[in-house]
Amino acid sequence: MKLPPQQVAVLEAASADEPRRIADLAADIERPPETVTGAAFELEDAGLVDVIEETEEDVELTEEGREYAEEGLPEVRLYEAALDAGADDKPVSMGEAIGASGLEGPQVDIALSNYARKGYGSIDGGDLSADPDADPSADAEAAALETLAEGGTVEDDDALDQLARRDLVAVRERTVRSMLLTEAGVTELMTGVEAAEEVGQLTPDMLASGEWRDAEFAAYNVEADAGEYTPGKTHVLRQAAERVKDVLVGMGFQEMEGPHVDADFYINDCLFMPQDHPARNHWDRFALEQPEKIDELPEDLVERVERAHREGVGPDGDGYHSPWDEDFARALALRGHTTSLTARYLSGVAGEDTGSSKTPRAAGGAGDVEAPARYFSVEKAYRNDTLDATHLLEFFQIEGWVMAEDLSVRDLMGTFREFYSQFGITDIEFKPTYNPYTEPSFELFGRHPETGELIEIGNSGIFRPEMLEPLGVEADVMAWGLALERLLMLVTGFEDIRDVHGTLCDLDFLRDAEVVY
């Protein structure tokens, strides 16, 4: 029996006793795996081998998982610190135990959320107790992390599922093919198999010489697996951003631009956000080390903003009566929201650089913006949030505002209903809330198409006089900050923000998902 050379090599390397993996066969005969796969399917069509397909799971530690495998799970570290502090005898201060554990930032929340779940102790108000009978060495999740870090295999499916939910491991499925000789294949090998000289590709020289007339061409198996090619495409989040821009431009809005790094003055002070507000401490923001501060701020604008903070605005205004420091206002940070762009446009310093020695021009009463006006941006904002299904350290915010006379909450709600209807979203609910810079204020909620749950999709309100008067704005201004990722959730039905961007994104989702409007 004559067969193409690659089929002969594969057939001779196969076994009739136990299946052999394609990858092992390829290594033995020193051929590419895709060549061996094609030959295997051709031999299967001839009845000489059986191709067996199995699905296997690959489990790999994430970066966070590797960190915990080395340093210990946060809840275990908290338990050990609590024992050292005597929490097995009587409750100790939660702050004392956390400080002794060395946990910081999001790890504290992770430790507290898993501490009682695993039976390490209890948390009552600000006190923490430790169960002396708890055994960290019996922690199935910790043992699984250690096994995976050493290259072992974990058989405990419950522990793996929990680690996957915590994003400490990544579980991926792959198809593994093996090959087994059939009786017919064994018979042909015993009878004798010869390699036929076949041509796999027609060349210009063969055409010119006429050699192609006598050549025996290899047959092509059109059912064999082809190589996977994933051509570039526009990211679904970018598609959504461009669609949002088209919708807002169609509604009469102009786009704003501005720096990602800005002075706290524009990020917070111009928004009537007190300097002792918790959101302005180092836990919630990403401050810059070099350069640390903006060079200059408009003197008259600074004076008006400071006066509003200290004394308030109008006969009924009272201000905050809290410390206000220009050096604090000049500190540079990644913007926590794109409302800093709104503050710049309304104050007339929209195009100024944050780090140059150039002196910004003085604000002159809303700059070049005159009522009526509509502006928007779809830009990134940055916050030191705890990572979960709806929060990342960076996200896209749909910022927008309208300046006009006699604006009301009805105008704001109508704008939202018109905007979201362009995406097929009509089930929107509103909830009153508090913002330092808007009154009245309300949050927006939309219903998730898969889970049916209401998820927060934005915040909004009408700017209060304490913000507008220092900026020189005399008309009403209604404004909002909407989450682009939450909008995409409502449009596509995905449930975890980490599926669409970040280091753990779902590549299959990004390659296959279509944004339908």
Side-chain angles (χ1 to χ4, degrees):
M1 183 178 190
K2 287 188 176 183
L3 293 172
Q6 65 268 23
Q7 293 186 30
V8 173
V10 170
L11 194 65
E12 291 176 344
S15 169
D17 299 324
E18 58 182 20
R20 295 202 62 194
R21 292 192 172 191
I22 295 292
D24 296 334
L25 288 170
D28 287 349
I29 65 176
E30 298 181 347
R31 301 286 178 92
E34 55 270 23
T35 300
V36 175
T37 301
F41 280 120
E42 290 165 352
L43 292 169
E44 184 181 40
D45 289 342
L48 303 181
V49 301
D50 288 328
V51 177
I52 304 163
E53 293 187 350
E54 297 176 314
T55 300
E56 291 188 354
E57 287 186 344
D58 284 336
V59 181
E60 182 180 338
L61 289 175
T62 63
E63 184 176 346
E64 187 179 8
R66 286 192 292 271
E67 178 184 347
Y68 291 164
E70 182 178 341
E71 299 180 1
L73 287 168
E75 58 269 24
V76 173
R77 292 167 60 186
L78 180 61
Y79 175 71
E80 293 171 346
L83 285 182
D84 293 340
D88 54 336
D89 183 31
K90 62 178 182 179
V92 299
S93 164
M94 187 190 303
E96 177 185 355
I98 292 173
S101 69
L103 299 172
E104 296 181 348
Q107 291 183 348
V108 174
D109 293 334
I110 294 171
L112 294 176
S113 65
N114 289 285
Y115 188 80
R117 176 179 70 85
K118 292 188 173 182
Y120 285 124
S122 59
I123 301 171
D124 185 9
D127 294 330
L128 182 145
S129 62
D131 184 349
D133 296 327
D135 183 10
S137 64
D139 191 311
E141 294 170 31
L145 280 180
E146 183 177 351
T147 299
L148 291 171
E150 294 172 353
T153 302
V154 176
E155 303 296 338
D156 188 340
D157 291 337
D158 291 338
L160 276 180
D161 288 343
Q162 190 62 39
L163 292 177
R165 281 195 290 270
R166 296 179 64 175
D167 291 324
L168 301 183
V169 299
V171 181
R172 299 179 178 86
E173 290 188 349
R174 61 188 178 94
T175 300
V176 177
R177 293 186 177 91
S178 302
M179 196 176 70
L180 183 68
L181 281 174
T182 63
E183 291 186 10
V186 173
T187 300
E188 291 296 341
L189 280 174
M190 294 177 64
T191 304
V193 178
E194 297 180 21
E197 292 187 8
E198 292 184 335
V199 176
Q201 185 174 359
L202 185 64
T203 65
D205 290 341
M206 294 175 65
L207 290 172
S209 65
E211 182 183 348
W212 63 273
R213 293 187 178 89
D214 300 322
E216 184 175 348
F217 290 93
Y220 285 92
N221 182 358
V222 296
E223 296 181 359
D225 288 349
E228 283 193 19
Y229 295 95
T230 52
K233 61 178 289 188
T234 303
H235 194 287
V236 291
L237 200 57
R238 177 56 59 190
Q239 292 181 46
E242 294 303 321
R243 173 60 176 158
V244 167
K245 291 181 180 182
D246 290 343
V247 168
L248 289 172
V249 169
M251 292 173 64
F253 286 77
Q254 301 179 64
E255 187 170 5
M256 298 185 292
E257 295 180 346
H260 290 240
V261 172
D262 212 345
D264 258 327
F265 180 73
Y266 296 111
I267 300 173
N268 292 304
D269 290 289
C270 284
L271 274 62
F272 197 56
M273 182 86 74
Q275 292 193 341
D276 58 359
H277 193 283
R280 299 187 65 174
N281 64 37
H282 64 283
W283 292 109
D284 288 330
R285 60 196 283 274
F286 293 107
L288 260 66
E289 183 177 20
Q290 184 64 36
E292 184 179 0
K293 297 180 184 298
I294 196 170
D295 293 324
E296 299 289 344
L297 291 171
E299 293 181 5
D300 56 344
L301 179 58
V302 170
E303 181 182 346
R304 293 196 299 269
V305 169
E306 179 180 1
R307 188 185 311 119
H309 279 248
R310 292 187 183 278
E311 305 171 6
V313 167
D316 298 324
D318 197 33
Y320 291 119
H321 296 283
S322 60
W324 196 92
D325 179 33
E326 183 177 342
D327 279 344
F328 187 87
R330 290 173 53 226
L332 288 171
L334 286 170
R335 61 192 182 201
H337 48 207
T338 50
T339 315
S340 58
L341 301 182
T342 296
R344 280 180 164 269
Y345 271 70
L346 290 176
S347 65
V349 291
E352 302 299 344
D353 192 348
T354 58
S356 71
S357 58
K358 177 180 173 183
T359 302
R361 65 182 182 276
D368 298 327
V369 180
E370 296 181 0
R374 302 180 184 91
Y375 278 85
F376 81 94
S377 71
V378 185
E379 299 262 355
K380 273 192 176 181
Y382 310 85
R383 294 180 190 172
N384 191 12
D385 275 331
T386 299
L387 301 181
D388 60 28
T390 56
H391 295 86
L392 284 179
L393 301 183
E394 58 182 69
F395 59 96
F396 282 91
Q397 183 168 320
I398 307 169
E399 176 80 10
W401 54 271
V402 176
M403 178 195 295
E405 300 293 339
D406 301 322
L407 291 174
S408 69
V409 169
R410 279 186 174 275
D411 297 310
L412 193 50
M413 290 182 172
T415 300
F416 291 138
R417 293 197 184 280
E418 173 64 22
F419 171 75
Y420 281 106
S421 70
Q422 301 295 317
F423 300 88
I425 300 168
T426 56
D427 188 0
I428 295 178
E429 296 189 14
F430 304 97
K431 174 187 173 184
T433 189
Y434 166 77
N435 295 317
Y437 39 89
T438 56
E439 179 59 37
S441 313
F442 56 83
E443 296 169 335
L444 288 78
F445 293 83
R447 195 168 299 281
H448 194 281
E450 298 294 333
T451 66
E453 297 180 359
L454 284 174
I455 61 172
E456 183 183 347
I457 56 177
N459 199 339
S460 64
I462 297 180
F463 283 143
R464 54 192 296 163
E466 288 88 345
M467 175 181 169
L468 294 180
E469 186 169 301
L471 304 185
V473 179
E474 297 179 358
D476 294 331
V477 179
M478 63 183 194
W480 56 84
L482 311 176
L484 179 66
E485 289 84 352
R486 308 279 179 91
L487 169 61
L488 191 60
M489 280 184 171
L490 301 186
V491 171
T492 64
F494 78 90
E495 299 177 35
D496 194 322
I497 194 174
R498 292 165 291 192
D499 287 342
V500 295
H501 66 81
T503 57
L504 303 178
C505 64
D506 185 341
L507 291 178
D508 289 335
F509 172 81
L510 295 181
R511 287 168 179 158
D512 300 335
E514 293 185 12
V515 179
V516 181
Y517 303 106

